[in-house]
Amino acid sequence: MSQNKLKNRSYMMTGIPGGKDWAKRAAARAMLRAVNFNDRDFEKPIITVACPYTNATPCNAQVQELGEIVKDEIEKGGGKAFIFGTPVVSDGESMGTSGMKYSLVSRELIADSIETMHESYMADGIITLSGCDKTIPGALMPLARNNSIGLTLYGGSILPGRYNGKDLTIVSTFEAIGTHAAGKMSDYEFRQIECHSCPGAGACGGMFTANTMSSAIEALGMSLPGSATNLAVDRKNKVSSDKKADCRNSVRALFSLMEKGIRARDIMTKKSFENAITVVLSLGGSTNAYLHLLALAHEADVDLTLSDFDRIGKKVPLLGNFKPFGDYVMENLHTIGGVQMVLKMLYEAGLIHGECMTVTGKTVEENIRSARKRPSNQKIVYSVDKPLAPPDHHIVVMYGNMAKEGAVMKLSGKEMEMHRGPARVFEREEDALDAILAGKIKKGDVMVIRYEGPKGGPGMREMLSPSSALMGRGLGKDVALITDGRFSGGTHGIMIGHVSPEAKVGGIIALVKEGDMITINLKKRTVDLDISKDEIEKRRKNWKTPADKYKRGVLAKYAKLVGSASFGAVTS
């Protein structure tokens, strides 16, 4: 390896052995000898391996084994690996509880943890692993922030669960809660769905946030082609051979990046972000992608705004027929050619920038030459000329007096022009869920869940519990839900999230009263509180900023630092 391309060859072996500069690092070398470094090792590149493992969630249960494979490959390739962990918060397990407040916060903690370890040890290269939702953007943000030489590797999707001949995901369980509460499901069937939804390791199987972000990052060029859809484990719940190969190939790619001096910001350009957005919209991805791609662009110093998502959305049709609104899961996309197949389709339609560099050292166009063409005899991914839905029919950006900075709405191909109804106001998610399960929400209502934003929550919780309960009770087409919080990738229905400005900072969502009429207009892309400007001003004068919910600790720090969801809810 060309040593002059590496920034830290002076880390351990400064100058000639025995010289003055060389002596300065003696203490560091002494400590490293205790962890099996020898004289030759001090001349090798240091590579950090971020390994967010925990046995608390299936999403990351296999990541420790992947990290060890990566570490061994680095050693075989002539490097020295420093492996370490990060926090991991399971959205599925914390959903609907106060624990969910830490989920989006953990994205920043993960990014800061990785930056701290990588920069403090002055490493030459980095590979970051990920699994659960926030570990994916969190694993890439520090590479963009510090323009590191490195790449990221997704731990892989879970296999679908099976019951009564149907594929199950974790969202099947959340929706079963509402169905059971409505008396439409027996206790036995409810338990069977719970017991069969998650058959082993890997992140949630539909086109939810984890699989959305893994697909986006492959399209962005920061992970290897094919790695987004290679499954976490096989049918015996052992790490899949494809994922083991991803580990080995990621290490080879890293050494090549180091040799060529290709850094994160050489790959993470405005055009590559446009590619990522295009893939998210075409596959029917999660609204959380808007938050995370905005945050990644912020770290990469790329000028990306909600208007870019809106502009791209007007050109990109919905092709992916994936859960939660469709029929298929990540395993099905994998069997027909994965993200590279989708990129090839989109490139041939003129919707992808083929000249963008990737971690292979090749461009997108060069990578997809060997990709499979879309199989014609399937309904997993539709063709560009005959899509599942036309452009502007998946995630749309909304404005209006309730969302002056913007909000996002997930249509997922639904034909809808307007929804107008009385506000049902809730100050926190738990109260909204209780009202749904108690049968207090009626057709036509507009549920407003506020003070759940980045500052107000704090932490911008996901509203999967109430949104799934609405679907389970058969109200998904008739009740709207508006929140300054966010939604899970598993959410579907009439849902508007990320409302900005949020309630905590005096956004109009804070001024809504029970029974006020709210209009959602899809033609105008607006969400409006239907009261006069004079009444709005009157209410604003009487409104007082609520006291902070947390006075110390992580959540208190986050609430002070975090910005608007319309800019990615970043803390810097």
Side-chain angles (χ1 to χ4, degrees):
M1 183 177 297
S2 177
Q3 301 269 322
N4 63 352
K5 296 288 180 69
L6 305 180
K7 69 177 181 178
N8 291 319
R9 285 302 80 236
S10 61
Y11 177 42
M12 294 300 159
M13 292 292 286
T14 301
I16 300 170
K20 178 181 176 183
D21 291 334
W22 175 80
K24 291 179 181 178
R25 303 302 300 156
R29 292 197 301 275
M31 295 181 73
L32 287 169
R33 290 183 193 280
V35 289
N36 298 319
F37 270 63
N38 59 40
D39 285 347
R40 287 188 178 183
D41 290 336
F42 296 127
E43 299 176 1
K44 295 175 181 178
I46 300 297
I47 297 170
T48 44
V49 181
C51 186
Y53 161 75
T54 179
N55 66 348
T57 170
C59 305
N60 291 57
Q62 80 288 12
V63 168
Q64 187 172 33
E65 185 173 347
L66 300 182
E68 290 297 327
I69 295 170
V70 168
K71 176 178 173 291
D72 290 345
E73 288 297 316
I74 290 169
E75 304 278 338
K76 291 176 185 176
K80 292 298 290 184
F82 290 172
I83 190 167
F84 60 92
T86 78
V88 179
V89 176
S90 168
D91 291 8
E93 293 170 28
S94 62
M95 196 73 67
T97 73
S98 61
M100 172 53 81
K101 293 176 184 286
Y102 289 87
S103 172
L104 187 60
V105 176
S106 75
R107 185 189 72 180
E108 313 305 306
L109 289 172
I110 293 161
D112 292 350
S113 297
I114 295 172
E115 177 190 359
T116 299
M117 289 296 290
H118 182 69
E119 296 299 323
S120 67
Y121 286 103
M122 299 173 289
D124 298 293
I126 183 169
I127 293 179
T128 60
L129 298 165
S130 63
C132 200
D133 294 8
K134 307 312 168 294
T135 64
I136 303 174
L140 186 53
M141 287 165 66
L143 276 68
R145 181 184 298 168
N146 295 295
N147 199 21
S148 304
I149 299 178
L151 70 161
T152 189
L153 173 59
Y154 177 47
S157 176
I158 195 173
L159 288 163
R162 296 285 291 176
Y163 177 66
N164 274 350
K166 294 182 180 179
D167 283 347
L168 300 178
T169 68
I170 188 60
V171 174
S172 305
T173 305
F174 279 101
E175 293 185 358
I177 294 170
T179 306
H180 182 263
K184 300 176 183 178
M185 179 181 290
S186 69
D187 292 349
Y188 175 81
E189 186 177 5
F190 181 65
R191 176 169 168 76
Q192 293 308 305
I193 290 174
E194 175 190 326
C195 292
H196 290 88
S197 289
C198 296
C204 300
M207 195 52 66
F208 310 147
T209 301
N211 285 326
T212 296
M213 288 308 300
S214 68
S215 300
I217 289 172
E218 184 175 323
L220 186 67
M222 284 302 297
S223 64
L224 288 181
S227 61
T229 60
N230 284 337
L231 299 176
V233 296
D234 58 26
R235 298 289 173 184
K236 296 180 180 179
N237 203 27
K238 302 293 184 182
V239 170
S240 71
S241 58
D242 286 338
K243 197 49 64 179
K244 289 178 180 179
D246 283 343
C247 292
R248 294 189 291 270
N249 292 333
S250 292
V251 173
R252 295 188 188 108
L254 175 64
F255 279 115
S256 177
L257 292 171
M258 293 166 68
E259 182 70 33
K260 295 173 181 176
I262 298 174
R263 295 182 174 274
R265 292 190 184 184
D266 298 325
I267 298 169
M268 298 174 71
T269 64
K270 180 68 175 280
K271 286 185 177 180
S272 69
F273 275 100
E274 291 179 347
N275 286 349
I277 295 167
T278 298
V279 165
V280 167
L281 292 171
S282 70
L283 289 178
S286 165
T287 53
N288 281 318
Y290 281 48
L291 275 179
H292 299 325
L293 289 174
L294 286 168
L296 284 167
H298 171 80
E299 300 291 3
D301 205 19
V302 169
D303 181 21
L304 191 72
T305 68
L306 283 176
S307 64
D308 292 305
F309 290 83
D310 199 33
R311 169 177 56 83
I312 294 167
K314 288 178 167 58
K315 299 185 296 182
V316 180
L318 176 62
L319 309 178
N321 181 20
F322 295 104
K323 293 178 183 293
F325 59 88
D327 300 320
Y328 297 98
V329 295
M330 198 64 156
E331 181 188 29
N332 303 118
L333 177 59
H334 178 66
T335 61
I336 62 169
V339 172
Q340 294 299 297
M341 181 272 291
V342 176
L343 282 169
K344 189 167 194 169
M345 290 172 56
L346 296 168
Y347 176 72
E348 291 173 349
L351 296 171
I352 287 291
H353 303 292
E355 69 273 24
C356 295
M357 179 56 62
T358 73
V359 294
T360 63
K362 299 178 182 179
T363 65
V364 170
E365 192 275 331
E366 289 173 318
N367 286 341
I368 62 176
R369 285 176 190 169
S370 59
R372 292 175 60 182
K373 283 192 170 289
R374 172 187 171 272
S376 58
N377 58 341
Q378 49 80 36
K379 293 185 178 180
I380 302 165
V381 174
Y382 284 61
S383 65
V384 176
D385 57 335
K386 293 182 179 179
L388 186 59
D392 231 12
H393 274 71
H394 179 45
I395 300 172
V396 296
V397 179
M398 305 287 285
Y399 291 97
N401 68 11
M402 284 189 71
K404 291 186 178 296
E405 292 179 3
V408 295
M409 182 175 183
K410 191 173 183 179
L411 286 172
S412 302
K414 292 188 292 293
E415 291 295 337
M416 175 185 162
E417 292 186 0
M418 184 177 292
H419 181 97
R420 187 170 189 269
R424 304 297 307 279
V425 181
F426 302 91
E427 310 298 325
R428 60 185 199 132
E429 177 191 3
E430 289 89 343
D431 296 337
L433 177 62
D434 289 344
I436 295 166
L437 297 180
K440 295 180 180 179
I441 303 300
K442 309 299 181 185
K443 288 184 178 182
D445 285 348
V446 178
M447 299 185 70
V448 176
I449 307 178
R450 62 191 181 192
Y451 295 106
E452 290 283 7
K455 286 184 177 293
M460 203 179 181
R461 289 194 289 179
E462 291 182 349
M463 303 291 126
L464 181 59
S465 292
S467 65
S468 296
L470 286 173
M471 297 301 296
R473 291 191 74 95
L475 295 170
K477 296 180 179 179
D478 303 298
V479 173
L481 197 164
I482 299 172
T483 181
D484 52 7
R486 58 195 175 90
F487 292 115
S488 163
T491 294
H492 57 130
I494 309 172
M495 307 291 162
I496 298 177
H498 308 191
V499 169
S500 303
E502 62 173 291
K504 174 69 173 177
V505 300
I508 286 181
I509 190 172
L511 309 181
V512 181
K513 292 184 177 180
E514 185 82 8
D516 284 344
M517 297 303 290
I518 293 175
T519 299
I520 301 166
N521 189 319
L522 265 295
K523 285 187 175 181
K524 294 181 178 180
R525 296 288 194 260
T526 54
V527 52
D528 290 302
L529 175 62
D530 294 340
I531 60 176
S532 68
K533 290 183 179 179
D534 288 344
E535 179 62 19
I536 288 175
E537 288 308 310
K538 179 181 176 182
R539 292 185 188 183
R540 190 182 299 283
K541 288 178 181 177
N542 292 326
W543 179 82
K544 293 181 180 179
T545 304
D548 293 338
K549 295 176 182 175
Y550 296 85
K551 305 299 183 184
R552 63 183 67 186
V554 171
L555 295 180
K557 294 173 187 176
Y558 182 82
K560 286 182 172 65
L561 293 172
V562 71
S564 170
S566 61
F567 301 106
V570 294
T571 56
S572 60

